[in-house]
Amino acid sequence: MASTPASTSASAFEYAPAPESRSVVDIAPSYGLFIDGEFTEAADGRVFKTVSPATEEVLSEIAQAGEADVDLAVAAARRAFGTWSALPGSERAKYLFRIARIIQERSRELAVLETLDNGKPIKETRDADLPLVAAHFFYYAGWADKLDHAGFGANPRPLGVAGQVIPWNFPLLMLAWKIAPALATGNTVVLKPAETTPLSALFFADICRQAGLPKGVVNILPGYGDTGAALVGHPDVNKVAFTGSTAVGKAIARQVAGTRKKVTLELGGKGANIVFDDAPIDQAVEGIVSGIFFNQGQVCCAGSRLLVQESIQDELLDSLKRRLATLRLGDPLDKNTDIGAINSAEQLSRITTLVEQGEAEGAERWSPACELPSAGYWFAPTLFTNVTQAHTIARDEIFGPVLSVLTFRTPDEAVAKANNSQYGLSAGIWTEKGSRILAVANKLRAGVVWSNTFNKFDPTSPFGGYKESGFGREGGRHGLEAYLDV
Amino acid sequence: MSEKPKNTEKPKNTEKAEQQRLSVFKTYKLYVGGKFPRSESGRVYEVTDTKGEWLANAPLSSRKDARDAVVAARKAFGGWSGATAYNRGQVLYRVAEMLEGRRDQFVREVAEAEGLSPSKKSDTVKAAAIVDAAIDRWVWYAGWTDKIAQVVGGGNPVAGPYFNLSTPEPTGVVTVLAPQDSPFLGLVSVIAPVIATGNTVIVIASEKSPLPALSLGEVLATSDVPGGVVNILSGRTAEIAAPLAAHQDVNAIDLAGADDVLAKELEVAAADNLKRVVRPQAVDYSVTPGLERLTAFLETKTVWHPTGALGASGSSY
């Protein structure tokens, strides 16, 4: 499929296709579960297929873990826990450093794999996901032998077996966020990747083998929601970590009630991106674009609510629309592609339904001229104006390339509107005035506030939400706490 | 005057026949929004000492009282969380000061609540030790208000032309089920950390021994603690806790005073808006607490900003 320039005006320069080669990755026709250091079939023999969302091509057939497999994996992790947690931290650190290095060595392969399985542009997997994945393992590797100095007292203890359930939007990055701190602190892991993106986790299992990681320390169980529920509910799991939707997060919070399991939840968001009249407009436009169109908007901390000061609304929107017209949607493996495929047919229909609801409720929809490929799951970058706080598209997380634009007059109004949400994960502030940045950042009820930038991540920095965006923090020193008995 | 004020009151409700003067009983009331309302329900229940002797009638709070308390706590949250940590520290210290002045009253109430005899020397010493520990706990937490951000916050050395700072912030309105068996020291130990960090709180007093909690309300009202920052309810713990655990405007719940069955039920209800939950656990309230109860009710906010350069060396990005 050729990448499709989405510009309305005739482009001065056409882009030649610049596809990344698929040949760097070798996808087997089928994969098993990774339990106790071995790939095995599911106990009941069930399998499911994973497809490329850009082409609907079947990439591989994956064993689907059931309750019996969860039992086996948790038992393997329990057996491994004794020796793993007893290792000197400096030894655990070396395993994690090995993993980080192998990820760097294989990063091109993994980037292509992730793009194939997820549908996100290669430029994002190559330049954002993979470098961050390696960085997370490097960062937590260094903590493994310094836990006494992490501020949780001398000799903080690991919790035991961690049951981890991750989403499909950043499959390998979310794996890194979960597994790196868990292993550094001496826990063992059973991880369930999302059913639409299991491949990079299974490749990671191979990296664990290359790194010589002891058997059972990491176990990977692809499957659907029922697999995740069995894992979360398993009586021998000591720690539950989940990233995903708020609805599922609430179900997990209910499921673990009355147990001693420690829980962290990274859930949905409806990030407000606030642009004041003194903002650097061009930079703000770039920030708005990366805020909502990065990874097709399938980002929990996406800046999906744009709050523009009324006096610059027209100027900003003109500029934003001009910029959106230059976004290139198409083959995710093309290095020039900005907008890739939506991860699944199911997600596409969810986005479509919410966008239709936005129109039905009276908001004004706009997209640049944009040809969508005939195969695969695609959604054009979309912008809604005339949006009020009562509109569904201003309240519900859409998890797609859809931006709702609201306006405000005063900083107080901006803060009030930004905070008028069940969520509290991320926010953005655009202004040249330093005191305003600090004043507004102080008042925003959100776990991450980006000022004059957006969607920046780093392993040293705690990430996590207020309110119904979940509890606990991942990243940084804070991220250790979730895996320690403190 | 440096003289310590002498307590001239007689022990309440325990006068013997030989006493000539009839003592004045106190009508115990709730403490909500800085005021002392009776329960909206108009109900009371009998509070007895451990021997079953009547001590007083305490308000039997209703669901409406609980909801009123949430409104008061939410209203107070902006001001209290926005106050400087230095200011909050002084307010907490002021509570200790006011308690110290009422030490004898609380020794008596704690003795009654914990089944200690006012006539037995060793029991009085025990009750006094509990009150002293509770006063000292306010002092301990008073000192934490402006240090916790330095201990659990931080600046993060990101690999890129940005700086970011992580700072703790209060999570919001917190419901606390006070410990059932430590009606004063345990009570203080679960309230002080919540408000030290800028949260506001709704406390459900120990069901069988609510009187020290209700008297603490009188101290708080005269301690510069803004109205609504601490709200104290008495009554049936399970009955009051249920609507609070399900309340959409409560951000966290401390289940210290719940048994396992109630705790599970409330934790399930709390999941509905993803309240932060502190599960019941065995706590020795007589020892200096760790940071767990301070950090349990904090969020971490990480604020990023570009620097335009990679470091102090001046090399541009």
Side-chain angles (χ1 to χ4, degrees):
Chain A
M1 162 193 14
S3 66
T4 315
S7 174
T8 43
S9 56
S11 299
F13 300 102
E14 285 299 330
Y15 287 77
E20 175 66 88
S21 169
R22 273 184 72 154
S23 66
V24 294
V25 57
D26 187 14
I27 301 175
S30 69
Y31 286 92
L33 315 170
F34 186 66
I35 299 175
D36 209 14
E38 304 293 336
F39 283 103
T40 71
E41 288 177 20
D44 56 9
R46 281 193 299 175
V47 292
F48 66 100
K49 290 181 169 60
T50 186
V51 302
S52 163
T55 58
E56 299 175 58
E57 166 204 355
V58 174
L59 295 171
S60 189
E61 198 173 71
I62 314 288
Q64 183 179 340
E67 270 183 51
D69 305 303
V70 170
D71 282 343
L72 285 174
V74 171
R78 174 63 57 196
R79 281 194 304 275
F81 175 67
T83 44
W84 180 249
S85 61
L87 273 186
S90 53
E91 295 297 299
R92 285 203 307 274
K94 285 191 281 183
Y95 281 114
L96 286 167
F97 278 122
R98 281 185 184 183
I99 290 172
R101 277 298 196 217
I102 297 173
I103 287 168
Q104 287 180 320
E105 285 166 3
R106 298 177 61 176
S107 70
R108 184 158 163 200
E109 173 194 359
L110 292 167
V112 172
L113 176 75
E114 195 83 312
T115 286
L116 282 169
D117 203 17
N118 170 282
K120 63 168 71 186
I122 185 73
K123 104 180 162 184
E124 290 181 9
T125 52
R126 182 193 61 194
D127 300 345
D129 295 47
L130 262 300
L132 277 169
V133 170
H136 265 274
F137 278 99
F138 263 102
Y139 177 75
Y140 280 108
W143 268 126
D145 54 357
K146 300 170 191 68
L147 296 174
D148 287 351
H149 305 282
F152 304 113
N155 196 23
R157 306 300 307 153
L159 297 167
V161 175
Q164 307 177 318
V165 178
I166 57 169
W168 45 259
N169 58 342
F170 292 90
L172 196 55
L173 182 60
M174 292 300 102
L175 173 148
W177 283 25
K178 297 282 180 292
I179 290 184
L183 297 195
T185 46
N187 299 274
T188 54
V189 161
V190 181
L191 177 132
K192 187 200 88 74
E195 65 269 20
T196 60
T197 54
L199 288 179
S200 52
L202 294 165
F203 273 57
F204 180 78
D206 188 48
I207 291 172
C208 292
R209 291 216 290 201
Q210 289 188 336
L213 195 71
K215 288 172 186 237
V217 171
V218 168
N219 304 275
I220 309 280
L221 297 183
Y224 286 74
D226 55 341
T227 312
L231 177 58
V232 167
H234 196 287
D236 204 27
V237 162
N238 306 98
K239 152 78 190 174
V240 171
F242 172 74
T243 295
S245 75
T246 290
V248 175
K250 288 179 182 181
I252 290 175
R254 283 181 206 109
Q255 201 182 352
V256 299
T259 69
R260 310 310 296 176
K261 289 174 189 171
K262 196 161 175 171
V263 191
T264 43
L265 303 171
E266 296 287 356
L267 309 176
K270 191 73 188 172
N273 206 355
I274 308 171
V275 184
F276 288 97
D277 58 6
D278 65 345
I281 295 284
D282 291 346
Q283 287 172 41
V285 166
E286 287 308 307
I288 293 162
V289 169
S290 92
I292 184 61
F293 300 115
F294 181 64
N295 199 15
Q296 295 72 247
Q298 302 167 135
V299 184
C300 52
C301 52
S304 53
R305 283 184 297 155
L306 177 62
L307 294 175
V308 193
Q309 196 149 21
E310 211 174 84
S311 52
I312 56 159
Q313 184 190 7
D314 293 345
E315 184 191 356
L316 184 85
L317 282 179
D318 286 350
S319 191
L320 182 60
K321 285 178 177 177
R322 258 198 319 275
R323 177 68 178 87
L324 291 191
T326 68
L327 290 178
R328 298 165 60 83
L329 179 146
D331 180 5
L333 275 176
D334 191 312
K335 286 170 235 168
N336 292 320
T337 291
D338 299 300
I339 309 254
I342 300 300
N343 183 249
S344 64
E346 189 193 1
Q347 182 58 21
L348 179 60
S349 88
R350 208 173 294 149
I351 297 168
T352 309
T353 306
L354 278 162
V355 164
E356 281 166 1
Q357 201 170 344
E359 279 188 292
E361 288 175 16
E364 208 168 291
R365 177 179 177 177
W366 181 90
S367 285
C370 184
E371 237 178 84
L372 301 183
S374 49
Y377 318 124
W378 305 90
F379 202 88
T382 298
L383 186 151
F384 273 105
T385 49
N386 279 341
V387 180
T388 75
Q389 295 182 83
H391 283 152
T392 308
I393 52 167
R395 309 197 69 82
D396 288 8
E397 187 179 39
I398 298 175
F399 225 65
V402 181
L403 179 65
S404 298
V405 184
L406 298 97
T407 61
F408 67 90
R409 288 186 178 176
T410 64
D412 281 349
E413 189 187 346
V415 168
K417 283 184 169 170
N419 286 340
N420 181 17
S421 168
Q422 73 184 104
Y423 298 112
L425 188 50
S426 68
I429 304 169
W430 297 86
T431 172
E432 288 287 21
K433 195 170 174 184
S435 58
R436 185 178 284 153
I437 291 172
L438 294 177
V440 172
N442 248 335
K443 289 179 196 154
L444 290 174
R445 305 283 294 160
V448 190
V449 178
W450 287 289
S451 357
N452 292 330
T453 182
F454 209 94
N455 264 348
K456 293 292 179 289
F457 304 92
D458 191 274
T460 64
S461 308
F463 179 94
Y466 285 44
K467 298 195 267 187
E468 294 188 22
S469 289
F471 38 76
R473 293 295 179 272
E474 292 182 292
R477 190 192 70 88
H478 295 72
L480 293 169
E481 188 177 350
Y483 291 94
L484 291 172
D485 184 11
V486 296
Chain B
M1 302 290 132
S2 60
E3 262 182 346
K4 224 176 154 192
K6 277 218 177 84
N7 179 38
T8 50
E9 285 176 63
K10 293 283 177 216
K12 170 179 58 71
N13 302 345
T14 55
E15 65 266 56
K16 302 282 180 286
E18 63 267 25
Q19 287 176 325
Q20 287 141 21
R21 182 178 169 273
L22 197 61
S23 69
V24 178
F25 286 177
K26 180 161 90 184
T27 301
Y28 283 90
K29 296 187 187 179
L30 307 176
Y31 180 54
V32 175
K35 297 194 166 63
F36 295 95
R38 291 185 165 90
S39 168
E40 167 274 342
S41 65
R43 303 177 301 179
V44 293
Y45 71 111
E46 282 192 11
V47 178
T48 58
D49 64 17
T50 45
K51 294 190 194 72
E53 294 210 22
W54 184 84
L55 290 171
N57 292 325
L60 188 61
S61 302
S62 64
R63 304 169 77 89
K64 176 72 163 72
D65 292 315
R67 292 200 299 270
D68 289 347
V70 176
V71 171
R74 176 59 61 193
K75 204 170 151 195
F77 178 67
W80 183 242
S81 60
T84 63
Y86 177 43
N87 182 221
R88 282 202 303 271
Q90 290 180 82
V91 172
L92 262 70
Y93 184 73
R94 181 73 177 158
V95 177
E97 288 180 349
M98 300 309 279
L99 265 180
E100 187 81 37
R102 296 231 220 165
R103 187 173 173 277
D104 294 342
Q105 176 200 338
F106 278 95
V107 169
R108 196 171 62 245
E109 289 198 340
V110 165
E112 284 168 354
E114 303 216 349
L116 302 166
S117 163
S119 55
K120 238 171 97 186
K121 182 86 195 318
S122 64
D123 276 10
T124 317
V125 169
K126 224 181 273 174
I130 290 170
V131 174
D132 290 347
I135 295 170
D136 292 352
R137 188 127 309 158
W138 283 107
V139 176
W140 196 73
Y141 279 113
W144 264 119
T145 58
D146 53 2
K147 296 167 194 71
I148 190 72
Q150 294 181 302
V151 172
V152 304
N156 306 307
V158 297
Y162 304 94
F163 73 76
N164 80 48
L165 296 173
S166 290
T167 45
E169 291 189 345
T171 200
V173 172
V174 179
T175 292
V176 171
L177 279 61
Q180 298 297 342
D181 295 321
S182 184
F184 192 58
L185 178 57
L187 172 86
V188 168
S189 303
V190 294
I191 298 177
V194 176
I195 65 169
T197 48
N199 298 284
T200 57
V201 63
I202 300 131
V203 190
I204 305 172
S206 164
E207 183 167 328
K208 68 175 191 295
S209 315
L211 302 184
L214 297 174
S215 291
L216 181 68
E218 298 160 23
V219 172
L220 296 171
T222 53
S223 303
D224 305 337
V225 179
V229 170
V230 180
N231 303 278
I232 302 174
L233 304 173
S234 61
R236 305 290 172 226
T237 298
E239 184 189 344
I240 309 167
L244 289 170
H247 201 295
Q248 296 298 298
D249 205 24
V250 171
N251 303 95
I253 186 163
D254 182 341
L255 299 170
D259 61 32
D260 285 350
V261 175
L262 177 63
K264 180 172 180 179
E265 183 191 317
L266 297 177
E267 191 176 345
V268 169
D272 209 40
N273 71 335
L274 294 163
K275 286 180 186 67
R276 283 62 176 142
V277 176
V278 175
R279 295 180 178 134
Q281 56 208 296
V283 180
D284 179 358
Y285 290 107
S286 67
V287 301
T288 307
L291 297 188
E292 195 197 340
R293 279 204 151 76
L294 278 172
T295 54
F297 306 111
L298 288 174
E299 303 292 338
T300 297
K301 178 187 281 178
T302 302
V303 180
W304 291 66
H305 198 279
T307 59
L310 280 170
S313 66
S315 69
S316 67
Y317 182 59

